[in-house]
């Protein structure tokens, strides 16, 4: 990636060490201080121009390469994502508004994202529309110069803390179900929105249901063309799927294991150490697939199947490496502050990894997407 990227990696590690407590396990725990840490850290990154590094300067970025943004992504995920939910604004909400938003939407939404001040949530999935997203039923009907929206979303990450929702709703019945869908940029404090958290082992603030009861929005809140939201959603999903560098956390934890365990590392069964080594190889494979997608995104040639191939590799890696790491800490029974912290990090990684083959599209759906593309080529 070159010298600039190596220097950037060093800067980011130093900033994390200075601003994020060593026992930080993400922004969505029971402890409100963790969310504050994430919000503060986003401001630190934004002040140094590091939050939206690869965005154009006119939108508050530094015009850096996608590879430098990839370094940010890797270092953040490796250190339990101290940007909290704001990674979504940087990775896909902002870029999508840049591409499809009006001048007014760009000047309203992009600067707060670049300053690290705003959290977005994604309102796509519904109780009967997950893999089959186009069957969603949340409906927007015309009301004078605006719209009224009613319906329900589910599994909406970060909805309790978000100020804005990137919402997909049905605006008409097309010949195909993918037609007649529209994206709305909706303020979460508007009357007519109710958020109900869903308790999960990923933390109390992660997953939610969101109810829309006759929510009034204006024509200015529509992103892109009315009834043409599906094309934008496909683009969003490709960016989202490569936006989390899960391989970086796997690699950091796997590489830390021998030194945390010290002498006890040699007592582990050969078979387990063999699987540990295979996981490191798997990390490299997922990383290379990620880089392939990033390069194609940069050239504008990425296809959904490319993102799917990466996603299959990285979510499998997430789960398999979590299993290996859990076996390692269980057999070695680490003690002492560093070892205790490592065990908590591994447990957290394991809990998150369970959901990775469902979130952002299930692994079965990714396999179908990839297979169709291979059969068609
Ligand atoms: C941690 C997490 C965070 C999430 N965050 C968000 C969010 O912020 N916003 C949002 O909108 N959504 C979010 N989701 C929802 C996620 O996108 C959906 O869970 C996912 O798309 C699967 O949809 P579903 O849950 O309805 O499962 P279903 O679609 O009902 O699928 C159930 C099972 O059936 C399989 N299946 C379904 N159809 C087929 C088929 N045709 N062929 C073979 N197998 C099939 C699936 O692979 C899966 O194993 C999140 C989910 C998780 C787990």
């Amino acid at each position: 990636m070159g010298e600039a990227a190596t220097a950037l990696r060093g800067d980011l590690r130093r900033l994390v060490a200075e601003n994020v407590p060593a026992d930080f396990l993400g922004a969505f725990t029971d402890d409100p201080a963790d969310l504050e840490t994430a919000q503060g850290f986003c401001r630190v990154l934004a002040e140094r121009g590091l939050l939206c590094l690869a965005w154009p300067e006119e939108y508050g970025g530094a015009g850096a390469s996608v590879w430098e943004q990839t370094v940010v992504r890797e270092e953040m995920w490796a250190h339990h994502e101290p940007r909290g939910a704001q990674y979504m604004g940087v990775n896909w909400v902002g870029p999508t508004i840049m591409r499809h938003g009006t001048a007014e939407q760009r000047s309203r939404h992009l600067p707060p994202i670049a300053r690290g001040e705003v959290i977005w949530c994604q309102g796509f999935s519904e109780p009967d529309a997950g893999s089959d997203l186009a069957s969603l039923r949340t409906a927007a009907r015309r009301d004078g110069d605006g719209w009224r929206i009613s319906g329900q979303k589910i599994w909406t990450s970060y909805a309790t803390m978000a100020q804005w929702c990137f919402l997909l709703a049905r605006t008409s019945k097309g010949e195909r179900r993918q037609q007649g869908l529209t994206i709305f940029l909706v303020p979460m404090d508007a009357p007519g929105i109710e958020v109900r958290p869903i308790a999960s082992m990923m933390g109390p603030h992660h997953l939610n249901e969101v109810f829309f009861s006759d929510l009034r929005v204006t024509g200015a809140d529509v992103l892109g063309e009315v009834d043409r939201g599906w094309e934008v959603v496909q683009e969003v999903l490709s960016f989202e799927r490569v936006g989390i560098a899960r391989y970086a956390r796997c690699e950091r934890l796997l590489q830390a294991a021998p030194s945390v365990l010290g002498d006890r590392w040699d007592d582990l069964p050969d078979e387990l150490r063999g699987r540990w080594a295979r996981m490191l190889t798997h990390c490299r494979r997922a990383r290379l697939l990620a880089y392939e997608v990033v390069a194609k995104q940069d050239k504008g040639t990425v296809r959904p199947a490319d993102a799917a191939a990466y996603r299959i590799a990285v979510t499998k890696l997430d789960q398999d490496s979590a299993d290996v790491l859990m076996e390692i800490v269980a057999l070695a029974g680490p003690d002492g502050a560093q070892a205790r912290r490592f065990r908590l990090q591994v447990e957290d990684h394991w809990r998150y990894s369970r959901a990775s083959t469902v979130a952002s599209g299930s692994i079965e759906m990714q396999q179908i997407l990839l297979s169709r593309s291979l059969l068609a080529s």
Side-chain angles (χ1 to χ4, degrees), residues 240-320:
E240 185 189 23
R241 283 173 184 155
V242 80
I244 300 181
R246 289 174 181 274
Y247 56 84
R249 186 174 309 169
C250 301
E251 195 167 327
R252 178 164 173 255
L253 292 175
L254 288 163
Q255 279 182 343
S259 66
V260 173
L261 266 60
D263 293 343
R264 281 167 307 180
W265 179 254
D266 294 332
D267 300 334
L268 294 182
D270 284 348
E271 182 272 338
L272 182 54
R273 278 188 288 161
R275 275 193 285 144
W276 169 84
R278 274 201 297 283
M279 283 303 116
L280 280 170
T281 316
H282 192 157
C283 285
R284 183 56 58 92
R285 189 166 58 210
R287 181 188 289 271
L288 291 175
L289 280 169
Y291 290 179
E292 198 170 279
V293 179
V294 169
K296 286 183 177 170
Q297 276 175 342
D298 197 27
K299 285 192 222 132
T301 58
V302 71
R303 299 162 310 150
D306 300 316
Y310 162 67
R311 189 79 194 160
I312 293 164
V314 85
T315 53
K316 282 287 291 164
L317 166 69
D318 224 30
Q319 294 186 343
D320 294 349

Side-chain angles (χ1 to χ4, degrees), residues 122-127 129-132 154-157 202 206-207 355 358-365 368:
Q122 181 195 75
F124 290 177
S125 305
E126 297 186 2
S131 304
D132 187 15
I154 195 168
W155 314 124
T156 319
S157 301
M202 297 171 75
H206 203 119
L207 298 170
V358 180
S360 197
S362 74
I363 193 166
E364 292 81 12
M365 299 314 288
I368 290 171

Side-chain angles (χ1 to χ4, degrees), residues 91-123:
N91 286 348
W92 62 263
V93 180
T96 309
I97 293 175
M98 265 175 231
R99 230 177 285 221
H100 301 280
T102 60
E104 191 195 334
Q105 286 169 336
R106 291 198 297 267
S107 63
R108 178 175 197 184
H109 293 298
L110 298 177
I113 298 177
R115 288 197 299 269
E117 292 171 355
V118 67
I119 292 175
W120 283 75
C121 63
Q122 181 195 75

Side-chain angles (χ1 to χ4, degrees), residues 16 20-26 29 31 34 37 79-80 252 337 340-342 344-345 348:
V16 170
V20 180
D23 58 358
F24 180 77
L25 288 178
T29 65
D31 187 351
D34 288 327
T37 297
H79 293 90
H80 291 266
R252 178 164 173 255
R340 189 173 163 278
R341 195 157 58 228
F342 182 67
L344 291 174
Q345 288 173 344
D348 181 74

